[in-house]
C-alpha cells in the first residue's frame, strides 16, 4: 500500500471512530424526559430527612441544602457591606454599597487562587483561610483605608461581611455551615467537616481585622438569585427594564449548581418545630441550594462514556460525587476532550507522528491542562483549514495537527458542548415543573438568573440549552416562556444582602 493509501485508510477509520464517539455524547428528547423525571424525584428525595445512619458526607443523592434565606429582597435595601467570594478560580473581596433603589456600587479585588492550594494535598485550612484574610486586608487598605482607622484613633466601626462559599456546605443557620466536601479541584483535607465561617473569622482576627464580622454564609447560586431579585424592577437600567424576580438562580461556570424557593412545608428535613416557627412568623418559602452537580451520582440515568468514568475515577478530587457537574461544567469540558484525544491516539488514529503515549506533548498528557476556553475557539472556528484551531492547540498544548485531525476534533468538541448544554436544561426543566412556575404568573413568563463563564461566554451554549428545553417535557411552548438572564456580580451583591438580614 502506498503512503497515500495508508493515510486514507487511517482517516476513514478516524472518521468512523469519531462518529461513534459523537453518538455516545448525543442526548435525545426521550433521554431529556427520563432525566427530568428523575431530577424531580431526586429533589423530592433530597428534601426528606436523611436516611437512618447517613450524614451529609455519605448521602449520595442531591443534597438539597436549606439556605435559611426565607425572603426575597425588593430593591429598597441599603447600606455598605463587605462580601468575600471563594470560587473555583478566583477569590474576590468586594465592598457593596446598596443604594436602596435597585442599584449598587461595587469595588473589588480579584485574586487568582494560587495553584498550590488546588494541587498540593498537604496545604492546610489555616494556609488557605489565612490567604483569604490577607487578601481581605489588602482590599481594605487599597479601597477603604478610611475604614481601618477611625478619626479619633478608636476601634474602627463594625463592618458586616457576607461570605460566598461555592462548595457544598451543611448550613447550620444563616451565619454558619460545615464543609461537606470540596469540589472543583480543591483537596485540602482538614477543612472538611469544619465551620468555614469560623475558619475565615479566626484568620481575619489574626490580621487585626476583628471589626470585620463574617455574619452570613451563602452559596454563589443563592447570591445570584438574591442579586437578581434586588435588581428586578429597576426601570432605569439598560438591560433590566423588564426584569422580574427569578425562579432559579444558577451557575454554569467552573462548576454548576442552582437554587430555587421551596415551600417550607415541603422541606421535611428541617425539624418540625423549626418549620412551624417559621410558618408562625409568616414565612412561607426558603431558598434551597440543590447542589445539582451531584444529581444522579448513582448513574441510574445520566449518560456515561468511558471518558466520563476515567475522569471521575482517575483524575478528579472527589470520585463518585458531582457526576452531573463532571458532564456539564467548564472545569471538565476540556478534560473530556483530552481523554478522547488520548484514546484516539492509543488506537493509532491521530497524532501518528508520536509513536508512544510518552512521546505525546507533555501538556496533552497533563490532566486539566486543556481549558474550556480553547474548546470555545474550536467550536466556532470557520477559518480555512481550521487555522484558528491549529493555533489554539499549538498554543495551549504545543500540539501540531493536520487539517483532517482538526476537522474531527471540531466534531468532538461540538458533541461535548452540546451534551453539556442539553444536560444543563434538565435541572431547569425539572425545577420549573416541580414548582409549577409556568402557571404561576401572568402569561407564565419566568426568569432564570444565571452566572458563570460557560453560560456567559461559551459560543452557542445558551441557544443549545434553549433547544434542549424545547425538547424537554416543557415543550416549545414552555421554552418560549423562559427568560435566561445573566446576573453578573451576583455573588457579591447577594452576599451583601445576606449580611444585611443576618
Ligand atoms: C459547588 C456548588 C457551586 C457550583 C458553582 C459546585 O462545584 O458544589 O456549591 O454553587 O460549583 O460554583
Amino acid at each position: 500500500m502506498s503512503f497515500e493509501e495508508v493515510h486514507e485508510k487511517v482517516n476513514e477509520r478516524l472518521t468512523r471512530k469519531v462518529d461513534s464517539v459523537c453518538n455516545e455524547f448525543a442526548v435525545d428528547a426521550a433521554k431529556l424526559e427520563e432525566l427530568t423525571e428523575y431530577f424531580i424525584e431526586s429533589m423530592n428525595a433530597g428534601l426528606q430527612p436523611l436516611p437512618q445512619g447517613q450524614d451529609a458526607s455519605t448521602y449520595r443523592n442531591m443534597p438539597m441544602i436549606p439556605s435559611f434565606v426565607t425572603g426575597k429582597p425588593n430593591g429598597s435595601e441599603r447600606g455598605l457591606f463587605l462580601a468575600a467570594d471563594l470560587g473555583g478560580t478566583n477569590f474576590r473581596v468586594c465592598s457593596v454599597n446598596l443604594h436602596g433603589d435597585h442599584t449598587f456600587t461595587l469595588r473589588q479585588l480579584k485574586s487568582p487562587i494560587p495553584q498550590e492550594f488546588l494541587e498540593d494535598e498537604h496545604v492546610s485550612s489555616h494556609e488557605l483561610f489565612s490567604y483569604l484574610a490577607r487578601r481581605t486586608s489588602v482590599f481594605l487598605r487599597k479601597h477603604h483605608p478610611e475604614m481601618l482607622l477611625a478619626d479619633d484613633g478608636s476601634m474602627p466601626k463594625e463592618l458586616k461581611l457576607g461570605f460566598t462559599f461555592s462548595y457544598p456546605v451543611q448550613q447550620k443557620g444563616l451565619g454558619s455551615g460545615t464543609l461537606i466536601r470540596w469540589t472543583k479541584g480543591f483537596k485540602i483535607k482538614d477543612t472538611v467537616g469544619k465551620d468555614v465561617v469560623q475558619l475565615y473569622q479566626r484568620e481575619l482576627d489574626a490580621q487585626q481585622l476583628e471589626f470585620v464580622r463574617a455574619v452570613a454564609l451563602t452559596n454563589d447560586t443563592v447570591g445570584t438569585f438574591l442579586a437578581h431579585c434586588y435588581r428586578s424592577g429597576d426601570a432605569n437600567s439598560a438591560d433590566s427594564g423588564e426584569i422580574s424576580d427569578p425562579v432559579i438562580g444558577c451557575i454554569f461556570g467552573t462548576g454548576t449548581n442552582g437554587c430555587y424557593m421551596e415551600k417550607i412545608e415541603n422541606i421535611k428535613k428541617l425539624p418540625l418545630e423549626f418549620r412551624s416557627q417559621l410558618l408562625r412568623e409568616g414565612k412561607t418559602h426558603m431558598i434551597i441550594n440543590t447542589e445539582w452537580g451531584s444529581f444522579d451520582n448513582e448513574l441510574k440515568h445520566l449518560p456515561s462514556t468511558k471518558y466520563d468514568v476515567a475522569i471521575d475515577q482517575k483524575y478528579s478530587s472527589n470520585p463518585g460525587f458531582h457526576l452531573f457537574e463532571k458532564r456539564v461544567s467548564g472545569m471538565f469540558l476540556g478534560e473530556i476532550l483530552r481523554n478522547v484525544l488520548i484514546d484516539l491516539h492509543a488506537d493509532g488514529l491521530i497524532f501518528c507522528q508520536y509513536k508512544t503515549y510518552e512521546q505525546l506533548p507533555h501538556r496533552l498528557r497533563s490532566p486539566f491542562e486543556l481549558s474550556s476556553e480553547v474548546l470555545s475557539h474550536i467550536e466556532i472556528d470557520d477559518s480555512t483549514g481550521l487555522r484558528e484551531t491549529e493555533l489554539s492547540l499549538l498554543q495551549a498544548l504545543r500540539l501540531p495537527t493536520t487539517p483532517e485531525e482538526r476537522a474531527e476534533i471540531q466534531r468532538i468538541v461540538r458533541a461535548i458542548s452540546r451534551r453539556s448544554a442539553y444536560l444543563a436544561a434538565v435541572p431547569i426543566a425539572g425545577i420549573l415543573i416541580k414548582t409549577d412556575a409556568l402557571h404561576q404568573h401572568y402569561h407564565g413568563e419566568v426568569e432564570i438568573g444565571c452566572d458563570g463563564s460557560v453560560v456567559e461566554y461559551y459560543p452557542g451554549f445558551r441557544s443549545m440549552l434553549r433547544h434542549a428545553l424545547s425538547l424537554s417535557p416543557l415543550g416549545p411552548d414552555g421554552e418560549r416562556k423562559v427568560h435566561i438572564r445573566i446576573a453578573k456580580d451576583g455573588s457579591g451583591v447577594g452576599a451583601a444582602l445576606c449580611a444585611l438580614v443576618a
Side-chain angles (χ1 to χ4, degrees):
M1 236 191 274
S2 70
F3 173 76
E4 280 73 26
E5 281 166 338
V6 172
H7 188 65
E8 207 162 287
K9 271 240 142 10
V10 170
N11 277 344
E12 245 179 66
R13 277 178 52 221
L14 173 62
T15 303
R16 273 208 309 279
K17 174 77 193 214
V18 171
D19 284 347
S20 94
V21 170
C22 291
N23 247 334
E24 282 187 74
F25 284 109
V27 175
D28 61 11
K31 193 67 182 170
L32 287 172
E33 187 174 339
E34 173 192 329
L35 286 165
T36 307
E37 241 171 60
Y38 189 56
F39 190 85
I40 297 170
E41 196 182 314
S42 305
M43 287 172 87
N44 287 329
L47 290 171
Q48 305 308 312
L50 286 175
Q52 275 278 308
Q54 289 208 25
D55 62 18
S57 68
T58 52
Y59 186 62
R60 306 220 32 218
N61 201 329
M62 265 200 310
M64 300 292 285
I65 300 166
S67 68
F68 294 84
V69 176
T70 50
K72 295 190 212 175
N74 60 16
S76 67
E77 293 75 8
R78 287 174 170 278
L80 180 67
F81 301 91
L82 280 186
D85 175 2
L86 181 66
T89 321
N90 293 302
F91 175 63
R92 285 196 316 153
V93 190
C94 36
S95 61
V96 184
N97 198 351
L98 302 171
H99 300 154
D101 58 358
H102 309 281
T103 69
F104 59 88
T105 37
L106 186 136
R107 290 191 206 171
Q108 69 162 325
L109 177 75
K110 193 156 136 182
S111 321
I113 296 167
Q115 240 355 70
E116 73 259 26
F117 290 161
L118 294 164
E119 282 165 6
D120 184 350
E121 295 193 7
H122 304 294
V123 167
S124 67
S125 250
H126 160 66
E127 284 167 273
L128 170 65
F129 285 89
S130 149
Y131 171 75
L132 305 191
R134 278 180 279 126
R135 297 312 293 165
T136 312
S137 171
V138 170
F139 169 80
L140 285 170
R141 273 185 277 131
K142 184 161 174 213
H143 289 288
H144 292 285
E146 79 285 357
M147 287 179 183
L148 292 170
L149 251 197
D151 289 344
D152 58 2
S154 61
M155 269 294 282
K157 252 186 37 218
E158 178 177 295
L159 198 53
K160 285 183 172 182
L161 177 143
F163 186 20
T164 306
F165 188 77
S166 306
Y167 301 87
V169 157
Q170 190 59 36
Q171 198 126 5
K172 305 274 187 239
L174 197 51
S176 70
T178 53
L179 177 65
I180 300 174
R181 72 181 60 83
W182 285 111
T183 59
K184 294 180 287 205
F186 269 107
K187 305 184 183 76
I188 306 174
K189 287 203 187 77
D190 68 339
T191 318
V192 177
K194 302 248 173 71
D195 185 325
V196 293
V197 179
Q198 274 176 17
L199 292 175
Y200 186 29
Q201 185 68 56
R202 195 173 304 150
E203 299 299 339
L204 287 170
D205 295 352
Q207 293 297 317
Q208 272 88 54
L209 296 177
E210 294 92 341
F211 65 99
V212 175
R213 304 309 303 164
V215 290
L217 176 65
T218 181
N219 183 263
D220 50 358
T221 59
V222 178
T224 299
F225 184 95
L226 295 175
H228 196 105
C229 294
Y230 176 80
R231 291 187 60 223
S232 92
D234 175 9
N236 299 320
S237 164
D239 69 343
S240 62
E242 291 169 36
I243 285 192
S244 58
D245 284 352
V247 175
I248 301 173
C250 55
I251 307 284
F252 295 103
T254 309
T256 182
N257 187 15
C259 71
Y260 73 104
M261 286 208 109
E262 181 57 83
K263 288 188 186 136
I264 287 172
E265 68 204 43
N266 291 344
I267 313 175
K268 299 284 194 285
K269 68 202 302 182
L270 289 175
L272 177 61
E273 209 175 295
F274 181 52
R275 267 185 283 145
S276 313
Q277 179 198 327
L278 290 174
L279 292 171
R280 277 198 303 279
E281 287 168 6
K283 297 177 174 140
T284 55
H285 289 74
M286 184 183 280
I287 300 184
I288 295 287
N289 164 18
T290 65
E291 286 293 338
W292 71 39
S294 264
F295 168 50
D296 198 12
N297 282 335
E298 311 271 347
L299 290 182
K300 286 191 186 149
H301 300 274
L302 274 179
S304 203
T305 65
K306 66 174 177 184
Y307 313 111
D308 300 310
V309 174
I311 291 170
D312 176 47
Q313 295 297 319
K314 278 202 346 220
Y315 303 121
S316 81
S317 58
N318 52 352
F321 288 97
H322 263 39
L323 297 190
F324 181 76
E325 173 159 292
K326 289 172 188 164
R327 284 151 178 76
V328 173
S329 79
M331 175 162 176
F332 296 93
L333 300 181
E335 185 56 10
I336 300 175
L337 174 64
R338 193 187 71 83
N339 274 263
V340 177
L341 296 182
I342 297 280
D343 189 41
L344 295 177
H345 173 258
D347 284 351
L349 297 173
I350 45 170
F351 318 143
C352 298
Q353 69 274 33
Y354 305 107
K355 297 284 168 265
T356 62
Y357 171 80
E358 284 68 30
Q359 286 174 4
L360 284 171
H362 177 258
R363 293 189 182 183
L364 180 61
R365 287 183 282 123
S366 310
F368 296 102
E369 187 68 39
L370 187 51
S371 73
S372 53
E373 197 185 330
V374 174
L375 274 68
S376 72
H377 297 145
I378 302 177
E379 176 92 29
I380 46 164
D381 186 2
D382 58 0
S383 59
T384 317
L386 298 175
R387 193 75 192 110
E388 299 272 343
T389 299
E390 180 177 25
L391 292 178
S392 289
L393 289 170
L394 269 177
Q395 201 177 23
L397 300 178
R398 307 281 180 269
L399 176 69
T401 46
T402 65
E404 293 83 11
E405 286 169 346
R406 293 197 286 278
E408 300 301 343
I409 292 173
Q410 188 177 54
R411 287 209 294 143
I412 304 164
V413 164
R414 289 178 174 170
I416 294 170
S417 64
R418 168 164 308 206
R419 184 182 70 162
S420 154
Y422 273 38
L423 292 179
V426 168
I428 294 180
I431 294 176
L432 292 181
I433 293 170
K434 176 172 165 30
T435 54
D436 198 25
L438 293 178
H439 301 109
Q440 303 281 318
H441 305 286
Y442 182 60
H443 284 320
E445 307 273 323
V446 292
E447 301 238 344
I448 315 288
C450 296
D451 202 355
S453 51
V454 174
V455 69
E456 205 180 341
Y457 302 120
Y458 198 93
F461 186 84
R462 266 180 278 171
S463 56
M464 291 189 281
L465 191 160
R466 299 207 69 98
H467 187 61
L469 285 176
S470 74
L471 294 175
S472 81
L474 293 183
D477 284 347
E479 181 268 331
R480 268 196 291 278
K481 295 177 183 164
V482 177
H483 300 277
I484 294 176
R485 296 255 190 201
I486 303 293
K488 280 193 78 67
D489 291 325
S491 47
V493 177
L497 288 159
C498 282
L500 182 143
V501 293

